[in-house]
């Protein structure tokens, strides 16, 4: 059987990139009997040894510009299906929210991975123009409709999307993501940021800059803490800026309410810089209205960092009792929980210990195996 896997995705540090790289590495290590064609852009080739690939895996390299949104849609919806037909592919896995819909007409079975329910639950908080977001929503809905199987990352995501789109439960498989990639490259995982004092007391947030991640409520709560008790603590954001208008609002808020270096933004850091930031943080904070998994909370736990997270969407399911929770709309509660973690050394240590045990349940090998079983199932 000939199978295709479309890993055309962003090269910027993100959950998409984390997923693609780890899935690709697991695929190369696996013992698959089928002939597998993997579509990826040239900027992903550095993560694999092309000279030592299994004989049944064939890399179909594409130019990096295919990642550009409009070009990617044209390539995926028109060119890719024809190429798959030429290669006599019978099944395709599209893990990035969209699939080549023409495959349905060409009788190529589609397994679709959905990593966001955002267009249906918080459309107005999506980054970018409303026209673009509306087209994304339509394309996702069509992809879901015409796919044969659907993979989501949590039971919460499954139940939510069934309720919204009235889907059949038997079509959907829940597959958790992995988090056991943090120490994969020992020589790089302690890479230092220049001119940053790791011995300073700081709270860390690793999160894309979008409205549904609720940065300003965190900032307002943190501001109250500094005003009431002049603590020498910084708030560090590591962020991919997806919503530039929101980022301008954040910068304006910071300039009006904080002095120099109380708030620090690092944009688009690669993963090799994150380990030491996690390791030395007092704790990690993540405030989101809409997550179908929330990978960075588990990444924090795997790096011995206590986690404070909003009690919304899939986050309680994924983090269980290994995190401290708050209502993302309740600034007083956010403030209270931040202070609780700042002042309670034993609580931080307890969350560290719980987190290290908890993340053992999330392996990329399990993600890969469950996904491939779903793809291959008749």
């Amino acid at each position: 059987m000939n199978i295709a896997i479309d890993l055309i995705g962003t090269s910027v540090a993100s959950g998409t990139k984390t997923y693609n790289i780890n899935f690709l590495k697991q695929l190369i290590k696996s013992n698959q009997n089928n002939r597998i064609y993997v579509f990826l852009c040239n900027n992903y080739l550095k993560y694999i040894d092309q000279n030592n690939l299994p004989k049944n895996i064939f890399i179909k390299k594409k130019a990096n510009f295919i990642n550009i949104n409009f070009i990617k849609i044209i390539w995926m919806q028109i060119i890719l299906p024809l190429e798959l037909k030429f290669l006599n592919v019978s099944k395709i896995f599209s893990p990035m929210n969209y699939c080549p819909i023409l495959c349905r007409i060409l009788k190529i079975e589609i397994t679709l991975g959905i990593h966001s329910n955002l267009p249906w639950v918080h459309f107005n908080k999506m980054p970018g123009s409303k026209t673009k977001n509306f087209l994304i929503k339509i394309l996702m809905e069509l992809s879901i409709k015409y796919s044969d199987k659907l993979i989501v990352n949590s039971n919460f995501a499954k139940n939510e999307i069934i309720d919204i789109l009235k889907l059949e439960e038997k079509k959907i498989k829940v597959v958790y993501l992995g988090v056991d990639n943090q120490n994969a490259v020992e020589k790089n995982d302690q890479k230092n940021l220049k001119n940053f004092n790791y011995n300073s007391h700081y709270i860390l947030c690793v999160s894309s800059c979008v409205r549904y991640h609720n940065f300003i409520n965190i900032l307002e709560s943190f501001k109250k803490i500094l005003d009431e008790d002049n603590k020498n603590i910084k708030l560090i954001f590591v962020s991919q800026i997806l919503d530039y208008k929101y980022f301008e609002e954040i910068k304006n808020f910071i300039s009006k309410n904080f002095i120099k270096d109380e708030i620090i933004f690092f944009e688009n850091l690669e993963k090799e810089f994150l380990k030491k930031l996690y390791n030395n943080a007092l704790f990690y904070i993540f405030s989101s209205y809409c997550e179908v998994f929330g990978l960075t909370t588990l990444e924090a736990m795997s790096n011995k960092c206590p986690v404070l997270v909003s009690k919304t969407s899939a986050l309680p399911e994924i983090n269980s009792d290994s995190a401290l929770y708050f209502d993302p709309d309740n600034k007083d509660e956010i403030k209270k929980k931040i202070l609780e973690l700042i002042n309670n050394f034993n609580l931080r240590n307890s969350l560290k210990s719980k987190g290290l045990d908890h993340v053992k349940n999330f392996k990329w090998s399990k993600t890969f195996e469950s996904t491939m079983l779903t793809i291959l199932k008749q």
Side-chain angles (χ1 to χ4, degrees):
M1 183 188 302
N2 292 352
I3 298 171
I5 298 174
D6 176 15
L7 296 182
I8 300 293
T10 179
S11 61
V12 178
S14 63
T16 297
K17 184 178 180 182
T18 297
Y19 182 93
N20 285 352
I21 291 170
N22 282 284
F23 192 91
L24 181 59
K25 288 179 177 179
Q26 292 296 325
L27 173 64
I28 291 169
K29 289 194 297 184
S30 69
N31 295 312
Q32 297 293 317
N33 296 321
N34 300 290
R35 188 180 185 92
I36 300 177
Y37 296 98
V38 182
F39 292 81
L40 47 77
C41 288
N42 290 328
N43 50 26
Y44 273 48
L45 296 177
K46 62 183 178 182
Y47 298 106
I48 60 174
D49 182 357
Q50 296 180 75
N51 297 318
N52 289 298
L53 292 174
K55 292 183 179 180
N56 64 318
I57 295 178
F58 301 87
I59 303 297
K60 307 296 287 183
K61 296 176 281 190
K62 302 298 175 182
N64 293 334
F65 69 80
I66 285 183
N67 270 327
I68 299 170
N69 285 335
F70 178 74
I71 296 175
K72 181 178 178 179
I73 290 172
I74 296 298
W75 173 81
M76 177 187 284
Q77 299 303 329
I78 299 174
I79 300 172
L80 176 59
L82 298 177
E83 188 169 353
L84 296 179
K85 195 65 178 176
F86 176 79
L87 294 170
N88 198 30
V89 165
S90 58
K91 296 176 182 280
I92 181 171
F93 175 43
S94 292
M96 295 298 116
N97 297 328
Y98 322 113
C99 67
I101 296 168
L102 184 58
C103 285
R104 186 65 178 263
I105 298 173
L106 298 175
K107 301 190 182 308
I108 299 170
E109 185 180 275
I110 304 166
T111 301
L112 173 66
I114 292 287
H115 300 283
S116 175
N117 291 353
L118 187 65
W120 303 286
V121 292
H122 285 291
F123 181 83
N124 290 332
K125 288 184 169 63
M126 291 177 68
S129 72
K130 282 187 167 32
T131 300
K132 183 196 80 171
N133 293 338
F134 178 76
L135 292 175
I136 287 173
K137 180 181 177 182
I138 294 299
L139 184 55
M140 287 180 69
E141 289 182 1
L142 289 172
S143 295
I144 291 169
K145 178 180 178 180
Y146 290 110
S147 65
D148 298 281
K149 303 166 189 173
L150 192 62
I151 294 176
V152 297
N153 301 139
S154 62
N155 288 299
F156 175 90
K158 176 181 176 179
N159 294 332
E160 187 174 61
I161 203 167
I162 285 174
D163 185 56
I164 293 169
L165 298 180
K166 311 304 177 187
L167 304 175
E168 292 185 15
E169 184 175 357
K170 64 182 181 181
K171 180 176 179 174
I172 307 176
K173 171 73 173 177
V174 174
V175 177
Y176 283 166
L177 304 182
V179 73
D180 54 324
N181 64 334
Q182 293 298 319
N183 299 307
V185 187
E186 294 290 344
K187 65 182 180 180
N188 287 334
D189 65 10
Q190 289 287 348
K191 206 165 184 179
N192 291 347
L193 289 163
K194 293 180 180 179
N195 303 317
F196 181 76
N197 180 10
Y198 288 93
N199 294 319
S200 62
H201 293 299
Y202 63 91
I203 301 164
L204 179 65
C205 177
V206 180
S207 172
S208 55
C209 183
V210 287
R211 289 186 186 276
Y212 62 91
H213 282 169
N214 198 28
F215 282 17
I216 289 182
N217 277 7
I218 296 177
L219 288 165
E220 288 185 3
S221 303
F222 187 62
K223 171 64 175 170
K224 288 181 181 179
I225 291 171
L226 297 186
D227 286 345
E228 294 172 11
D229 186 350
N230 191 23
K231 292 183 180 296
N232 187 22
I233 294 176
K234 302 179 188 298
L235 180 56
I236 310 296
F237 290 93
V238 176
S239 190
Q240 181 185 356
I241 312 302
L242 299 181
D243 189 329
Y244 286 92
K245 185 176 179 181
Y246 186 51
F247 187 49
E248 286 301 315
E249 292 176 25
I250 291 167
K251 288 196 297 183
N252 289 336
F253 182 87
I254 291 171
S255 66
K256 292 176 182 177
N257 291 279
F258 295 92
I259 62 174
K260 184 180 179 182
D261 292 339
E262 288 180 331
I263 310 295
I264 299 175
F265 262 87
F266 294 113
E267 295 182 37
N268 302 332
L269 283 185
E270 291 296 330
K271 276 196 172 294
E272 56 262 34
F273 290 102
L274 291 180
K275 183 175 179 63
K276 197 164 184 179
L277 279 172
Y278 279 128
N279 285 163
N280 290 276
L282 283 174
F283 58 90
Y284 174 79
I285 187 168
F286 183 55
S287 180
S288 178
Y289 292 111
C290 182
E291 298 298 321
V292 295
F293 193 82
L295 187 58
T296 56
T297 55
L298 296 183
E299 287 181 345
M301 290 179 191
S302 72
N303 283 296
K304 304 177 184 179
C305 186
V307 170
L308 175 61
V309 64
S310 54
K311 195 171 185 177
T312 56
S313 55
L315 293 169
E317 175 188 342
I318 300 305
N319 295 284
S320 187
D321 65 348
S322 300
L324 195 65
Y325 294 95
F326 60 85
D327 176 352
D329 287 319
N330 189 330
K331 296 169 193 175
D332 288 334
E333 186 178 350
I334 298 172
K335 171 193 161 188
K336 177 183 175 183
K337 294 297 177 71
I338 290 174
L339 279 172
E340 189 175 354
L341 273 176
I342 289 173
N343 295 325
N344 194 329
F345 175 82
N346 291 333
L347 177 59
R348 296 202 304 273
N349 269 357
S350 174
L351 289 173
K352 279 185 189 180
S353 179
K354 286 181 178 181
L356 285 172
D357 284 338
H358 184 61
V359 294
K360 294 174 184 177
N361 299 309
F362 300 89
K363 303 288 186 184
W364 282 112
S365 58
K366 289 183 180 180
T367 304
F368 175 79
E369 289 164 8
S370 295
T371 301
M372 290 305 299
L373 283 172
T374 302
I375 295 167
L376 294 172
K377 186 176 179 180
Q378 297 298 324

